[in-house]
Amino acid sequence: MSYEDGRKLKIFTGNANPQLAKEIADYLGLSLGKAFVGKFNNGEIQVMIDESVRGKDVFVIQPTCQPANDTLMELLIMADAFKRASARHITAVVPYYGYARQDRKTRGREPITSKLVADLMTTAGITRVVTMDLHAGQIQGFFDIPVDHLGSASIIAKYINQKKEESDMGDLVVVSPDLGGVTRARDLADRVNAPIAIIEKRRPRPGVAEVMNIIGDIQGKTCLMVDDIVDTAGSLCGGAKALKDMGAARVYAACAHAVLTDPAVERIQKSVISELIITNTIPLPEEKRIDKIKQLSVAPLLGEAIMRIFHDVSVSSLFDK
């Protein structure tokens, strides 16, 4: 990157995932922008931008992960500060988009919170959003500003293909944990040259899922379950057990966003899952790092997207297989 580029492109971060922001800045050959993001004594978010951003292209690295309300407010208040400081463009790089699971009404008098969050971001002054592995693709349509929706499939596929070369994984089958995840499973399956299978479930009541059937051949094969989010890991571990019970030789899992609320790590440790592959869209605390969890970095992908946006180059080619 030239000196002139470094003067015009600024990378900032809140408190959500500063390590990822540092990795992205290092990839771009830049230093993180100077800003203070903390709290007043009464708990309100306090933001101070400690360098000029007038006429600059500002990119804020801030997944809206736990604590979701704090990280979201940090992003909105930072955007407002940049807008009032006359930044030329304000791009929110939100690797994990919180509230994404509330994307439609499933019963009466429910909010569509992912749409509300999109409106808040736009009102705050954000002019573009970069995000990854949205829970529902239609969330892109909730914005009236450009949205670059990146996928982690290329990163996960690279790791799996290397693993296939280094060790005998056997016949690989990519498994969707439900009917709604077939497109995601197909994308990854094409990248690792494997067929797909689908777990057919029914939900007798909210929060409870029962495996009814496996669509596809998994007998004696290595299954790779793929999903966008792992939260409490109940469905993931239950699906893995069903695959084993129905004849799978081994079960791996891959999820872009590792929310991992309790007792997720304990469940994964005790489960039949050989390895859970995640990315660092959400920071992984030290106490949740176990041998079964492999974390991959999305910094090069996001860094490349930022460079392309800054230079007005196509971002869509990053999606190519």
Side-chain angles (χ1 to χ4, degrees), residues 9-26 28 32-33 37 58-65 71 74-75 78 82 90-96 130 280-281 298-299 302-303 305-306:
L9 171 59
K10 296 288 185 181
I11 305 290
F12 287 87
T13 181
N15 295 313
N17 198 342
Q19 180 57 42
L20 174 59
K22 178 68 165 57
E23 288 183 38
I24 293 170
D26 288 346
L28 296 170
L32 286 173
V37 183
V58 172
F59 291 79
V60 188
I61 317 298
Q62 181 82 342
T64 49
C65 51
T71 55
E74 285 181 8
L75 175 61
M78 289 180 79
F82 292 129
I90 304 166
T91 300
V93 181
V94 189
Y96 171 72
V130 178
N280 61 344
T281 57
V298 298
L302 291 173
I306 288 170

Side-chain angles (χ1 to χ4, degrees), residues 61-93:
I61 317 298
Q62 181 82 342
T64 49
C65 51
Q66 312 97 304
N69 297 331
D70 284 355
T71 55
L72 175 59
M73 284 304 298
E74 285 181 8
L75 175 61
L76 298 177
I77 294 170
M78 289 180 79
D80 185 72
F82 292 129
K83 177 178 67 175
R84 296 177 188 279
S86 302
R88 191 167 75 102
H89 293 299
I90 304 166
T91 300
V93 181

Side-chain angles (χ1 to χ4, degrees), residues 212-228:
M212 301 297 293
N213 189 27
I214 308 292
I215 303 169
D217 180 17
I218 62 163
Q219 194 70 35
K221 299 188 177 182
T222 299
C223 291
L224 173 61
M225 296 178 65
V226 59
D227 210 344
D228 61 324

Side-chain angles (χ1 to χ4, degrees), residues 66 101 229-233 236 255 257-266 268 276 278 282-285 288-290 293 295:
Q66 312 97 304
R101 284 177 280 185
I229 297 172
V230 53
D231 192 346
T232 62
L236 191 74
C255 299
H257 309 302
V259 178
L260 296 179
T261 52
D262 291 334
V265 174
E266 182 183 352
I268 291 161
L276 170 62
I278 63 172
I282 297 173
L284 185 65
K288 294 184 179 181
R289 295 178 184 271
I290 60 174
I293 296 179
Q295 189 178 50

